[in-house]
Amino acid sequence: KSGLDPGGAWHAWGMACLKAGNLNSAREKFNRCLKPPMDLNQLNHGSRLVQDVIQYLESTVKPVLIADDDYFATLRELEATVRTRSLSLEMMCEGKIQHNSYYQECLFYLHSYGTNLAIISFYMRHDCMREALLHLLNKESPSEVFIEGIFIPSYESGKLHMLENLLETIDPGLESWGVYLIAACKYLQRKNYYHILYELQQFMKDHVRAAMTCIRFFTHGAKSYTELGGKQTWLLKIKDHLKVYLQEVSRSSGRKKMAFTFRKKMSATDVSRHINTVDLQMEVTKFLHQCESSGTSQTTDSSLPTLFGSNNMKMDVACKVILEGKNIEEGFGIAFRVLQDFQLEATEVYSKVAKQLVKQQKYSEIRQLLKCVNESGVAAKNDGDNIILNCLNEFKNIPAEDLDNLIQDMDSDENKIQAYMMCHKLRSAYLVSVRQEKARAVQLVQHVRQLAESSGDDVVKAICAQWL
């Protein structure tokens, strides 16, 4: 008469029937106030009213007793209570929820008015993981329901292995779980739970992704190659994963094409290339670890370069290897292979090294670097000259004798003249210029005279004018 919503009254009446043990009457009352959710896959447990009903039913469940007389019934009830910490344990013993009318009542309300997440969570609470998984599959629920309802509770309660065993029992190929497993991996990566991620990837036999996780274990947080030296087992694991992947690919190439649909794919060529990278990284790690241990290491970079990074990082590795040995020659071979394998810009690396050597005042080692470059067999004609020209920007810091030695090591007279001009050694530039073929010599000497004039070097200006 007053036009008020009767829902609350029906719910209270239904709860009163439940408490009185009148289950059929309670269903009838709740039918008038409870509604199924609009979206069964929403990430919640349904309406508060439904949750209240389930909570009450779960809290009042008693073990099922089928007995002829009350005396034995009471004894069995006592025994069951002692035997079970909670009703969930009874479910494990029974193996099925259906033996209990109160649990059946829970399932009735959940299936009628609850979300898929609520049903799955109910099964998980009562150790019925298999039923939870089958419900997920049958309803084709999205991966978020799997993560919230099954995956998180499993690893938080230490039941990840049980989950993995059930997934495999239900579908030995794991294909029907592919979407859910990939979603679980992404979730773990977002959370930075890399150890659980690695365990899951191994279970999935997703060897390429497992290898990528091992790379992260190897590189993450390391501040020195001494630390990386202690983490080399991860490099071996990367190789193992990639080799197993290659074997599986070669075995399945003749079979059906649908195999390994959710596992990361990679061409055999790429896998072989990655295995070579790991081998080279092992060599680099051993070498730099040795250098740091023997105290020859000098550079202190904030970030630690490895061959698993960008091309710039790989170039940093090559520089580090050349600079940190006892001498240039010691690390040059490994650095040269890094440059060749990844087709990096060699001259840029050598120039970087030369500039570093100027800073360290190791001028004789720059000449040793040039010798190694020339003997490598792949250096272009002007590579050595370009390396010297690139490090002459720092000429003010180089002692005169060392500077002269470096310039005299150049192959091309043109480059020598350019170097002398850069370093304001105009007299030396003039002396090399006049040795050139006549027409070119005239051009060069004129250029030297202009520089002498602008810098106020009257002596060289006069010599140039006289020659011209």
Side-chain angles (χ1 to χ4, degrees):
K1 287 179 181 178
S2 59
L4 296 172
D5 177 25
W10 285 116
H11 187 261
W13 197 350
M15 288 302 287
C17 292
L18 269 190
K19 287 170 186 175
N22 192 345
L23 302 182
N24 288 334
S25 182
R27 285 190 184 193
E28 186 195 325
K29 306 298 179 285
F30 285 128
N31 186 39
R32 295 172 182 269
C33 63
L34 299 179
K35 291 185 178 66
M38 299 289 286
D39 175 15
L40 289 174
N41 287 319
Q42 61 197 37
L43 288 181
N44 59 45
H45 290 260
S47 72
R48 185 67 254 172
L49 300 180
V50 178
Q51 289 179 54
D52 288 346
V53 172
I54 302 301
Q55 205 173 341
Y56 174 76
L57 284 168
E58 281 183 301
S59 67
T60 53
V61 175
K62 292 174 185 171
V64 180
L65 302 165
I66 302 158
D68 292 299
D69 84 38
D70 292 338
Y71 175 74
F72 286 108
T74 313
L75 275 180
R76 283 205 202 111
E77 190 169 353
L78 181 63
E79 186 187 352
T81 310
V82 170
R83 183 168 49 84
T84 58
R85 283 198 316 275
S86 68
L87 269 302
S88 61
L89 275 179
E90 186 216 349
M91 288 308 103
M92 278 179 71
C93 305
E94 294 289 337
K96 298 272 182 195
I97 281 177
Q98 66 229 36
H99 288 301
N100 191 297
S101 57
Y102 274 82
Y103 277 125
Q104 282 303 295
E105 210 60 20
C106 286
L107 287 173
F108 166 77
Y109 286 107
L110 285 167
H111 282 287
S112 304
Y113 310 110
T115 60
N116 284 327
L117 180 60
I119 296 167
I120 285 167
S121 297
F122 173 79
Y123 281 131
M124 291 295 287
R125 276 199 303 281
H126 301 293
D127 293 315
C128 296
M129 195 186 283
R130 182 186 172 82
E131 283 77 2
L133 288 167
L134 290 172
H135 183 85
L136 180 88
L137 268 191
N138 293 337
K139 299 296 178 185
E140 296 179 353
S141 293
S143 49
E144 291 83 3
V145 174
F146 171 73
I147 302 291
E148 288 289 324
I150 299 175
F151 187 70
I152 294 174
S154 294
Y155 79 71
E156 283 184 347
S157 59
K159 292 179 182 170
L160 192 57
H161 284 299
M162 187 195 290
L163 172 62
E164 290 172 352
N165 291 337
L166 277 169
L167 293 175
E168 213 163 22
T169 307
I170 295 168
D171 178 4
L174 300 178
E175 290 301 328
S176 45
W177 305 115
V179 176
Y180 300 118
L181 289 169
I182 295 296
C185 289
K186 286 178 180 171
Y187 166 81
L188 292 170
Q189 204 165 355
R190 279 198 308 276
K191 289 282 189 179
N192 288 330
Y193 296 162
Y194 283 95
H195 289 280
I196 304 174
L197 173 65
Y198 181 52
E199 187 185 324
L200 189 62
Q201 286 167 337
Q202 289 179 93
F203 161 72
M204 291 160 65
K205 297 183 174 60
D206 194 348
H207 294 292
V208 175
R209 287 194 180 96
M212 290 157 73
T213 305
C214 290
I215 290 174
R216 201 234 179 225
F217 282 133
F218 175 71
T219 56
H220 185 69
K223 294 280 187 285
S224 70
Y225 261 89
T226 305
E227 277 182 56
L228 287 184
K231 296 167 90 175
Q232 287 188 80
T233 47
W234 289 113
L235 294 177
L236 295 171
K237 285 184 180 181
I238 297 167
K239 273 182 76 171
D240 289 342
H241 284 299
L242 294 176
K243 282 176 179 175
V244 172
Y245 176 78
L246 275 182
Q247 286 165 5
E248 288 188 355
V249 167
S250 63
R251 274 206 304 270
S252 64
S253 57
R255 293 191 227 146
K256 55 181 181 178
K257 295 290 179 194
M258 283 299 288
F260 313 127
T261 46
F262 65 89
R263 297 169 180 94
K264 189 167 179 64
K265 295 182 186 68
M266 195 178 274
S267 72
T269 317
D270 282 348
V271 174
S272 301
R273 199 160 42 78
H274 286 305
I275 290 173
N276 288 339
T277 301
V278 174
D279 285 334
L280 200 48
Q281 180 63 54
M282 285 177 97
E283 214 170 321
V284 167
T285 306
K286 280 174 190 164
F287 178 76
L288 291 174
H289 181 197
Q290 201 179 334
C291 293
E292 286 180 5
S293 304
S294 60
T296 55
S297 169
Q298 294 196 356
T299 51
T300 51
D301 298 321
S302 51
S303 64
L304 195 64
T306 68
L307 298 178
F308 299 118
S310 62
N311 274 358
N312 282 340
M313 194 184 262
K314 290 179 180 108
M315 288 162 86
D316 289 344
V317 171
C319 290
K320 197 172 175 67
V321 169
I322 295 174
L323 286 165
E324 295 206 3
K326 286 197 284 285
N327 52 47
I328 293 298
E329 221 168 329
E330 192 185 25
F332 188 84
I334 298 174
F336 182 71
R337 276 176 47 216
V338 170
L339 298 174
Q340 290 292 295
D341 281 12
F342 300 105
Q343 299 177 333
L344 302 172
E345 193 54 59
T347 315
E348 194 180 326
V349 171
Y350 299 144
S351 298
K352 246 180 165 180
V353 171
K355 283 177 183 173
Q356 199 65 38
L357 291 170
V358 169
K359 278 184 188 171
Q360 294 173 11
Q361 301 181 341
K362 295 180 176 176
Y363 308 111
S364 61
E365 294 204 9
I366 297 175
R367 298 175 81 180
Q368 196 183 7
L369 172 68
L370 297 173
K371 180 172 170 281
C372 290
V373 170
N374 291 329
E375 287 173 0
S376 67
V378 294
K381 190 185 173 189
N382 280 333
D383 274 1
D385 290 6
N386 288 334
I387 292 165
I388 294 172
L389 285 170
N390 278 329
C391 69
L392 287 182
N393 297 326
E394 312 287 332
F395 76 92
K396 286 173 187 164
N397 304 326
I398 305 174
E401 189 184 341
D402 291 303
L403 193 57
D404 278 338
N405 288 337
L406 281 174
I407 296 173
Q408 280 162 26
D409 280 342
M410 288 179 150
D411 293 325
S412 146
D413 280 352
E414 290 273 346
N415 288 333
K416 281 181 186 174
I417 294 162
Q418 189 187 337
Y420 282 130
M421 288 177 179
M422 273 174 75
C423 303
H424 305 312
K425 290 181 168 286
L426 299 180
R427 187 183 179 84
S428 300
Y430 162 78
L431 290 172
V432 182
S433 297
V434 295
R435 295 206 303 265
Q436 307 309 303
E437 184 250 323
K438 204 59 171 259
R440 181 67 184 138
V442 170
Q443 287 176 331
L444 290 166
V445 173
Q446 281 175 334
H447 189 201
V448 173
R449 185 178 67 173
Q450 283 169 0
L451 287 174
E453 196 171 344
S454 59
S455 65
D457 191 336
D458 294 335
V459 177
V460 175
K461 182 185 164 187
I463 295 171
C464 292
Q466 191 181 351
W467 185 87
L468 287 165

